[in-house]
Amino acid sequence: MYQPAITGHGVFTPRQTITNDELVVAFNAYAERWNDAHAEAIAKGEAEAMGMSSAAFILSASGIENRYVMDKSGVLDPDRMYPSLRPRSDDEPGIMAEMALDAAGKALAMAGRDGAEIDLVICAASNHERAYPAIAIEIQKLLGAGGFGFDMNVACSSATFGIQAAADMVRSGSVRRALVVNPEICSGHLEWRDRDCHFIFGDVATAVVIERADEAQGARFDIHGTRCATEFSNNIRNNNGFLRRTRDQMEDRRDMQFMQNGRKVFKEVLPMVSAHILGHLADEGWTADQLRRLWLHQANKTMNDFIGKKVLGREPAPEEQPNILQDYANTSSAGSIIAFSKHSGDLAPGDRGVICSFGAGYSVGSVLVARA
Ligand code: COA
């Protein structure tokens, strides 16, 4: 058995941003047009007028101030309200591979490795731009990596589930050096015309290199334990899939984009996550007061504050539980890895932390790491 370690990590951040104010202007223009177009039905009580969104609500309900996106023009066009992403030909890299490659390049540089030294690529994300061939295999080819690759989807928990799969393979010796990438084009599966959720998501890609600790070229985080759990729930759901193309499903259907019952998610996921982390710590013989840092999934600030408090048994200091949510919004599986990548460099040898993601499924994954 080999000790697996994270030896590199990286974040690809799209160039375009949308502030809450910009988002609200576009949404409200769309809602006003919709209300005008349906004025008669609204007056007769046959339709409900759309409410206006507000930047103050978004900030107080979620902690989000800004999001990065691959295309803002389409999202902010009240006549369109979804990104304009150029369809790629089969002979050029896909958009997810391109985003992942940028993050992977940064992670590999940090690990002191090149693509040819990788023998496992996992593309773990909540939506994939095509069914097959796997995006991971395209990334494997573009990197010049060997071995094999595969895609996996556990929604917002994809990154930690991917890390568990890679760490287990490194531990057993079936692979030597793995790359786990999380390219998330959340702007493509968000319903930007739904006031209750139009502010939630942003786009990003993250990557981590996992290899044998004794082969690390530089600083590393040893992976002391991973734990994944799932429990079925319909409270976060997206029915989009290849069956969408059948004749009876061609019309615009709300369930073909991200849907959630946010209040229920909030209430049901919180106890699940804090119990999961505490159970994992106890089984590894770790105590919460030994944790220098919690890198949590980034969906909602209040939610993270609650989990941090439950796990530590006290209010976490801001540096103990860093949020990136204000800048990136919810980036699905990538959120906890952005937090880890941007807020782990200051830890000293021996410092311990937990990476934890949670979301649709329900699903929750935790990775206990210590700076070596
Ligand atoms: N602007 C202004 N008002 C809005 C609004 C907007 N964009 N969206 C909703 N409102 C209104 C609602 O209509 C409601 O009004 P009412 O009280 O008159 O009915 C009020 O604000 C509260 O809305 P609600 O949706 O209940 O807000 P909330 O406080 O529960 O916050 C979430 C919403 C989504 C931010 C929160 O529930 C959450 O974060 N849940 C967990 C999400 C999560 O983790 N999901 C996982 C995704 S991977």
Side-chain angles (χ1 to χ4, degrees), residues 52-54 57 61 156 195-196 198-199 236 258 260 262-263 265-266 299-300 303 330:
M52 298 296 130
S53 186
S54 107
F57 171 86
C156 290
R195 181 178 79 139
D196 289 349
H198 77 118
F199 53 88
I236 312 171
F258 167 86
Q260 75 167 350
R263 283 272 166 106
V265 172
F266 202 106
N300 179 291
M303 219 163 163
N330 183 344

Side-chain angles (χ1 to χ4, degrees), residues 85-90 92-100 123 125-135 138-139 151 183 185 245:
L85 299 171
R86 180 181 66 82
R88 309 263 171 118
S89 81
D90 292 354
E92 56 184 332
I95 186 166
M96 286 180 75
E98 196 173 275
M99 293 165 71
C123 178
S126 51
N127 284 274
H128 295 96
E129 69 183 283
R130 62 170 180 268
Y132 45 81
I135 288 145
E138 185 183 12
I139 296 165
D151 292 350
I185 311 179
R245 290 183 177 274

Side-chain angles (χ1 to χ4, degrees), residues 4-231:
I6 298 175
T7 57
H9 44 82
V11 179
F12 160 75
T13 302
R15 277 194 299 272
Q16 302 180 40
T17 61
I18 300 178
T19 63
N20 287 348
D21 286 337
E22 289 175 303
L23 188 67
V24 164
V25 167
F27 177 88
N28 289 350
Y30 163 78
E32 273 167 17
R33 286 179 199 193
W34 192 93
N35 289 345
D36 287 348
H38 297 84
E40 210 179 304
I42 294 167
K44 285 187 191 156
E46 291 164 1
E48 207 176 311
M50 273 196 185
M52 298 296 130
S53 186
S54 107
F57 171 86
I58 295 171
L59 183 60
S60 73
S62 68
I64 297 165
E65 295 172 33
N66 182 70
R67 69 279 299 136
Y68 292 91
V69 288
M70 294 303 286
D71 169 66
K72 80 186 268 184
S73 63
V75 169
L76 294 184
D77 177 354
D79 291 324
R80 184 178 171 93
M81 305 289 276
Y82 62 93
S84 304
L85 299 171
R86 180 181 66 82
R88 309 263 171 118
S89 81
D90 292 354
D91 298 325
E92 56 184 332
I95 186 166
M96 286 180 75
E98 196 173 275
M99 293 165 71
L101 221 59
D102 181 286
K106 291 165 182 156
L108 287 166
M110 180 183 277
R113 299 291 180 186
D114 67 44
E117 294 175 283
I118 295 292
D119 60 357
L120 166 65
V121 178
I122 299 178
C123 178
S126 51
N127 284 274
H128 295 96
E129 69 183 283
R130 62 170 180 268
Y132 45 81
I135 288 145
I137 303 176
E138 185 183 12
I139 296 165
Q140 175 198 18
K141 180 184 172 219
L142 293 167
L143 281 173
F148 62 102
F150 60 88
D151 292 350
M152 57 185 278
N153 176 358
V154 201
C156 290
S157 294
S158 299
T160 51
F161 280 55
I163 289 173
Q164 163 156 311
D168 283 352
M169 285 189 247
V170 169
R171 187 179 288 111
S172 72
S174 65
V175 306
R176 192 152 197 141
R177 198 162 292 113
L179 178 75
V180 181
V181 293
N182 321 103
E184 292 285 10
I185 311 179
C186 300
S187 60
H189 63 93
L190 175 59
E191 178 48 90
W192 296 92
R193 296 172 300 181
D194 181 341
R195 181 178 79 139
D196 289 349
C197 67
H198 77 118
F199 53 88
I200 289 180
F201 287 113
D203 301 336
V204 81
T206 50
V208 295
V209 173
I210 297 168
E211 58 186 317
R212 299 175 184 180
D214 60 5
E215 295 190 343
Q217 310 272 303
R220 66 177 202 267
F221 280 91
D222 287 343
I223 297 175
H224 285 267
T226 57
R227 176 167 296 180
C228 298
T230 52
E231 201 179 298

